[in-house]
Amino acid sequence: MRLNELHTGDTAIIVKILGHGAFRKRMIEMGFVKGHEVKVLLHAPLKDPIKYSIMGYEISLRSAEAHMVEVLPVEIEGESELSDLSPEKKDDGREEKKVDNNEFHKCRKTINVALVGNPNCGKTSLFNIASGAREHVGNYSGVTVDAKQGKFTHRGYTFNIVDLPGTYSLASYSPEELYVRKFLKEETPDVIINVVVASNLERNLYLTTELIDMDRSMVIALNMYDELKKRGDSLDYRLLGEMIGVPVVPTVSRTGDGIAALFDTVIDVYEGRDGSVRHIHVPLGEDIEKGVNVIKDELKKDNHIGRHFSPRYLAIKLLERDREVEDEIKRLPDAKTILSTRDKELQRIETVRKDDVSSAIADEKYGFIAGALAETLVKGDADTNDSTRIIDAFVTNKLFGFPIFLLIMFAIFWATFEIGSYPMEWIESLVGWISSLVQKVMPDGALKDLIADGILGGVGGVIVFLPNILILYFCISFMEDSGYMARAAFIMDKLMHRIGLHGKSFIPLIMGFGCNVPAIMSSRSIESRSSRIITILINPFMSCSARLPIYVLLVGTFFEKHAALVFLGLYILGVLVAMATAKLLRTFWFKTDETPFVMELPPYRIPTLKASLRHMWGKGEQYLKKMGGVILVASIIVWALDYFPRHDENTVAGDTVTSVENDSKINPETDSYLEMAGKFVNPVMEPLGFHWRASVAALAGVPAKEVVVSTLGVLYTGDEEVEDSTLSARITAPNPNTGIPDFTAAAALSFMIFILLYCPCTATVIAIVKETGNWTYGLFSVLYNTAVAWLIGFIAYRIMLLL
């Protein structure tokens, strides 16, 4: 716990100081040393400041400063939470105190680590291999959209590791930059692991210089070191570490090479044993340094300013006109003096430099990096970018790029349907065998119907599509890991500009083919707020994997000869509707917003089979968990609503003629609750060719789209006249009331289009509200998407009838 959380009279042992630099040094000089005892003497009337006793004298700290001290409370012998008795005392009158040495040792040996680095530098791979997590790794920026936390032990130490979003700097420009800086400020990790790409040091080390300005305990993970050696380059990383005062450890996160040595170094830095650690100042030129020192001196007049960031870092950010730092400084008593001093220094430096100060600082930092690399890096003759250039000559070509993209997508859908059909048939046969076994073995009654029709009909109807889900995710994972996704964004940039967005918005849209929720969250990487909101609002039109079982069922039943084309057509339709919506939003709501398209095109990398399979199975595992959770519960609810109320058999038989005449008319004497609800809603859906069962399935898919197929599975079970037990056979069998099938090719296409486009699932609506910060955007998605789905479904149904 933190020191400021103790109550008056509490005693604790100091575990660690979470601050840094001058603040940390000052706290240690005042006696706040690990292992020493501190007692809370008095809280001020407003709870701040707080008086403590340490090492025989009294000291006062602000609550915010005390929050930077981690402590372990000392128990008083004989005292308990359930007793009001006074603690026993020794003969000399002193209270008997004790501390759990094991607990102290455990706290003392817990290291909080944050992974910080550029996008696509391998942070998440390192996080996965260290913590054993299964976070997705993609060879493009924006994969990590939030902080991922893991825990593991190494050499007797417990590591709490956090994977932060990738960022090129620590300015207050993009959401990732703000998020990372806020985390470093509020959480104060013990050690930062700065992950840099060994083959692109000049750009990656710019972020390192900003972390050096912060004066934090840090280790550099020289990641993808194998690529540097493959190019024939030679880097004296030990000398580089000594020059910049930060130990450097070569790693290959993809294979795990160097990871153990990296965390050995983290332990040494944490314990203060690494000899290469020293605080340096990245030189910014005499004129800028003079301004930094003047502002820094003004800042240091406030003794509490350096709790989270060093005064030098804050001074540099003030010169760069950083909005967030300015807002923080404005809350200080001497804010006017500090900002006035800053303005004078800005004017002086820009007069001398005849250039913007931010650009001048960046130039000086890149000069420092170039100088350090000139001393330590020897370039080889090998050029490993040849393969990337050759591939890009085709896949980003203005003539071939788009057809190649469509061909790749077609191949993915072909594999999803054709290859997936074999294991799908095996699972389908197994489910049918189990269902027939239940029908034969169990006695007639509600329990038998629940298991056979509700659980096996619902969950079994969805589990058969697991192979298709796995194949689709494997292909998408392979594309992402290889680096092709960034090229897809590049070739789509011109098209995206025409609808008021840019190629960077295409990445979240492609991610939407997997799941709309993380795709919407990944939109944080888009700097422009209006572009970000538009991308979020059009993302639900991307056909997520939850809709895939519906397509496989209906495409395989009605369009088997042209399955891949119909699949591709549905996905393209979603993209086209999204683009049209974006154009409308940009034209009528979010006026023109020119946003620069700056996106890294990483080198191509051959994905490891292990990584692709792990990502594939991670998604498959989520799918199976859904089947054991939301789909199972939904199937039971749907079955119960379809099973009850029970009607007298004579009444049902007597009303058969009425049912034949009008299968859509509500009849309380014969209909179940679900049938009545479906027939009540169905007049709105009948123009699209929907039978009431289809309307119920679409309604059930609002919470989660996977429930659509499970609902159809429940509604179309129990027909003993159909010899084939598969769901495909049951939905194409003639309805005993009407004499015609509920689904035709026209109705199936209309149904798939409606499911593709109508209101997002509950989780997606929540993500939209959370990411936009406005519930009206969530309501807009529900109403607008459903209206568009109905209109296009109606048009498709009428065209199919004419054909």
Side-chain angles (χ1 to χ4, degrees):
M1 68 185 304
R2 302 297 174 89
L3 182 58
N4 65 315
E5 295 171 0
L6 296 175
H7 301 291
T8 301
D10 288 351
T11 303
I13 301 296
I14 297 170
V15 176
K16 65 176 78 166
I17 309 297
L18 299 177
H20 63 94
F23 170 79
R24 180 186 176 88
K25 183 180 178 183
R26 182 167 62 88
M27 293 291 286
I28 292 172
E29 287 171 348
M30 290 191 300
F32 288 88
V33 181
K34 59 189 176 188
H36 281 250
E37 188 179 282
V38 59
K39 183 175 182 179
V40 185
L41 296 179
L42 180 68
H43 281 76
L46 297 178
K47 301 296 183 183
D48 202 6
I50 308 167
K51 186 191 289 187
Y52 297 96
S53 171
I54 187 168
M55 298 180 74
Y57 75 103
E58 297 177 359
I59 189 169
S60 175
L61 291 179
R62 287 183 181 176
S63 180
E65 291 175 319
H67 184 72
M68 305 295 287
V69 182
E70 193 172 312
V71 297
L72 181 66
V74 174
E75 297 178 12
I76 300 176
E77 192 68 33
E79 186 181 54
S80 73
E81 293 179 3
L82 302 177
S83 174
D84 293 330
L85 298 175
S86 299
E88 296 178 4
K89 295 180 177 287
K90 285 187 173 182
D91 293 338
D92 58 4
R94 288 183 295 125
E95 295 175 347
E96 181 69 31
K97 299 172 185 176
K98 66 175 183 177
V99 63
D100 188 336
N101 288 325
N102 290 330
E103 186 66 24
F104 175 76
H105 185 72
K106 181 180 176 182
C107 293
R108 175 69 191 84
K109 289 204 164 188
T110 297
I111 307 177
N112 300 314
V113 175
L115 299 179
V116 180
N118 286 185
N120 197 43
C121 69
K123 290 186 289 55
T124 305
S125 293
L126 195 156
F127 174 82
N128 285 342
I129 206 153
S131 65
R134 295 181 181 176
E135 294 301 331
H136 176 45
V137 179
N139 189 17
Y140 62 91
S141 65
V143 176
T144 305
V145 295
D146 212 337
K148 307 291 190 302
Q149 299 184 352
K151 191 173 185 177
F152 67 98
T153 56
H154 177 72
R155 302 285 172 87
Y157 287 80
T158 298
F159 287 84
N160 294 319
I161 186 168
V162 177
D163 177 23
L164 294 172
T167 176
Y168 293 107
S169 73
L170 294 174
S172 56
Y173 179 53
S174 72
E176 290 93 342
E177 292 165 350
L178 288 170
Y179 187 97
V180 172
R181 196 160 73 178
K182 183 179 179 183
F183 181 90
L184 296 179
K185 175 184 176 181
E186 295 180 356
E187 301 301 325
T188 320
D190 298 314
V191 180
I192 293 171
I193 296 180
N194 177 210
V195 185
V196 304
V197 179
S199 57
N200 195 357
L201 284 171
E202 187 168 7
R203 192 201 67 199
N204 279 247
L205 287 174
Y206 184 83
L207 177 60
T208 306
T209 63
E210 294 206 293
L211 294 170
I212 289 171
D213 290 336
M214 280 187 174
D215 191 16
R216 294 294 184 89
S217 296
M218 182 165 62
V219 177
I220 292 175
L222 193 65
N223 204 26
M224 305 180 195
Y225 191 65
D226 55 334
E227 292 184 6
L228 181 140
K229 293 195 292 185
K230 204 178 290 182
R231 291 197 320 193
D233 294 355
S234 173
L235 176 70
D236 189 342
Y237 57 84
R238 290 188 178 86
L239 177 59
L240 177 63
E242 290 170 3
M243 290 175 68
I244 64 177
V246 181
V248 180
V249 183
T251 61
V252 183
S253 296
R254 188 166 49 88
T255 61
D257 293 347
I259 302 300
L262 173 67
F263 286 100
D264 287 343
T265 307
V266 170
I267 292 171
D268 289 341
V269 169
Y270 175 72
E271 296 290 4
R273 297 194 295 253
D274 195 295
S276 61
V277 175
R278 63 190 180 96
H279 178 53
I280 68 162
H281 286 172
V282 177
L284 302 177
E286 187 177 344
D287 50 347
I288 297 177
E289 285 291 346
K290 181 181 176 182
V292 169
N293 290 330
V294 170
I295 299 169
K296 185 175 69 174
D297 291 341
E298 287 293 334
L299 290 169
K300 289 169 75 173
K301 290 178 182 178
D302 187 324
N303 293 328
H304 310 287
I305 193 67
R307 282 196 306 269
H308 301 291
F309 298 130
S310 71
R312 176 179 173 83
Y313 171 79
L314 295 174
I316 293 170
K317 286 299 170 189
L318 281 174
L319 285 175
E320 291 177 335
R321 298 182 177 90
D322 187 285
R323 294 190 304 271
E324 193 169 81
V325 171
E326 283 186 356
D327 290 342
E328 190 172 333
I329 296 303
K330 285 175 182 176
R331 291 193 286 268
L332 297 178
D334 296 332
K336 287 185 179 179
T337 304
I338 294 170
L339 292 175
S340 174
T341 303
R342 188 278 308 268
D343 292 340
K344 289 177 184 176
E345 293 303 316
L346 267 176
Q347 188 176 9
R348 180 186 61 79
I349 295 168
E350 289 179 346
T351 301
V352 173
R353 289 263 179 164
K354 293 181 171 55
D355 193 8
D356 176 66
V357 174
S358 297
S359 301
I361 290 173
D363 288 342
E364 292 291 345
K365 287 189 173 183
Y366 276 117
F368 170 78
I369 293 167
L373 293 179
E375 295 287 330
T376 56
L377 179 65
V378 178
K379 291 279 189 180
D381 297 328
D383 187 0
T384 56
N385 289 325
D386 276 350
S387 58
T388 294
R389 281 196 290 266
I390 292 169
I391 296 171
D392 276 348
F394 291 95
V395 300
T396 62
N397 186 278
K398 63 181 179 180
L399 293 177
F400 305 124
F402 199 72
I404 287 173
F405 173 70
L406 291 177
L407 187 63
I408 289 172
M409 298 304 293
F410 178 84
I412 289 174
F413 299 137
W414 178 89
T416 300
F417 186 81
E418 293 294 336
I419 299 175
S421 64
Y422 297 103
M424 176 183 161
E425 289 174 4
W426 304 334
I427 299 172
E428 204 166 41
S429 299
L430 178 62
V431 172
W433 178 79
I434 295 172
S435 183
S436 62
L437 185 67
V438 169
Q439 293 282 4
K440 291 176 184 177
V441 174
M442 291 189 69
D444 291 340
L447 181 60
K448 174 184 174 180
D449 290 340
L450 170 62
I451 295 173
D453 299 342
I455 296 174
L456 290 174
V459 177
V462 177
I463 198 171
V464 297
F465 301 107
L466 178 62
N468 309 91
I469 295 286
L470 295 178
I471 292 170
L472 178 66
Y473 268 113
F474 179 84
C475 294
I476 290 177
S477 174
F478 191 90
M479 287 174 64
E480 290 174 341
D481 295 351
S482 67
Y484 179 73
M485 280 299 194
R487 273 72 185 181
F490 179 80
I491 63 176
M492 291 296 292
D493 180 50
K494 188 173 182 180
L495 192 59
M496 299 297 283
H497 264 294
R498 290 182 178 176
I499 61 172
L501 297 173
H502 55 79
K504 203 168 186 179
S505 296
F506 192 66
I507 290 293
L509 300 183
I510 288 290
M511 288 179 69
F513 289 157
C515 179
N516 296 139
V517 175
I520 285 170
M521 293 173 65
S522 73
S523 301
R524 295 175 188 172
S525 61
I526 301 168
E527 291 84 1
S528 165
R529 174 171 168 77
S530 63
S531 295
R532 186 163 64 250
I533 292 175
I534 292 174
T535 306
I536 287 170
L537 292 178
I538 66 176
N539 204 287
F541 291 121
M542 301 299 104
S543 186
C544 68
S545 60
R547 298 172 172 101
L548 185 63
I550 306 159
Y551 304 156
V552 174
L553 171 66
L554 297 179
V555 170
T557 304
F558 296 99
F559 309 99
E560 188 175 6
K561 292 182 179 179
H562 308 288
L565 281 174
V566 176
F567 261 99
L568 183 60
L570 286 167
Y571 279 77
I572 290 176
L573 176 63
V575 173
L576 292 176
V577 172
M579 293 173 70
T581 302
K583 185 67 175 177
L584 290 171
L585 288 171
R586 180 62 80 190
T587 303
F588 296 107
W589 190 254
F590 302 101
K591 303 301 180 181
T592 303
D593 177 77
E594 290 298 327
T595 311
F597 175 48
V598 182
M599 184 171 180
E600 179 186 4
L601 292 178
Y604 288 101
R605 297 189 176 99
I606 299 175
T608 62
L609 182 63
K610 180 182 177 182
S612 295
L613 289 175
R614 184 169 60 182
H615 179 226
M616 177 191 77
W617 180 244
K619 295 300 181 182
E621 199 174 31
Q622 290 178 15
Y623 190 68
L624 289 172
K625 285 178 180 177
K626 274 190 175 181
M627 272 183 274
V630 63
I631 295 174
L632 175 62
V633 173
S635 298
I636 293 172
I637 292 172
V638 169
W639 170 84
L641 291 173
D642 192 44
Y643 189 77
F644 297 103
R646 305 302 292 159
H647 299 291
D648 182 72
E649 291 184 9
N650 294 326
T651 305
V652 175
D655 273 15
T656 302
V657 178
T658 306
S659 297
V660 171
E661 290 176 355
N662 192 348
D663 190 41
S664 299
K665 186 177 180 181
I666 297 175
N667 187 345
E669 298 297 325
T670 59
D671 294 348
S672 66
Y673 293 127
L674 194 66
E675 189 170 355
M676 286 187 277
K679 290 178 178 179
F680 178 77
V681 174
N682 205 52
V684 180
M685 309 306 294
E686 272 183 333
L688 280 68
F690 283 24
H691 184 267
W692 68 261
R693 289 187 177 93
S695 299
V696 168
L699 197 61
V702 172
K705 296 296 180 282
E706 294 91 345
V707 179
V708 173
V709 169
S710 67
T711 302
L712 290 174
V714 173
L715 293 172
Y716 284 94
T717 52
D719 190 350
E720 305 301 335
E721 296 178 9
V722 181
E723 293 182 5
D724 192 342
S725 63
T726 63
L727 185 54
S728 296
R730 292 182 181 279
I731 64 174
T732 53
N735 186 315
N737 293 329
T738 62
I740 59 173
D742 294 343
F743 277 94
T744 61
L749 182 62
S750 172
F751 186 77
M752 288 189 291
I753 289 173
F754 187 81
I755 296 299
L756 164 68
L757 302 175
Y758 84 131
C759 77
C761 68
T762 304
T764 302
V765 174
I766 292 171
I768 290 171
V769 173
K770 183 180 177 183
E771 293 301 313
T772 59
N774 192 332
W775 66 268
T776 56
Y777 289 121
L779 182 62
F780 170 83
S781 283
V782 171
L783 299 178
Y784 173 81
N785 292 24
T786 304
V788 168
W790 193 97
L791 179 62
I792 298 178
F794 174 79
I795 294 170
Y797 180 64
R798 295 301 162 185
I799 291 173
M800 283 292 290
L801 288 180
L802 292 174
L803 295 175

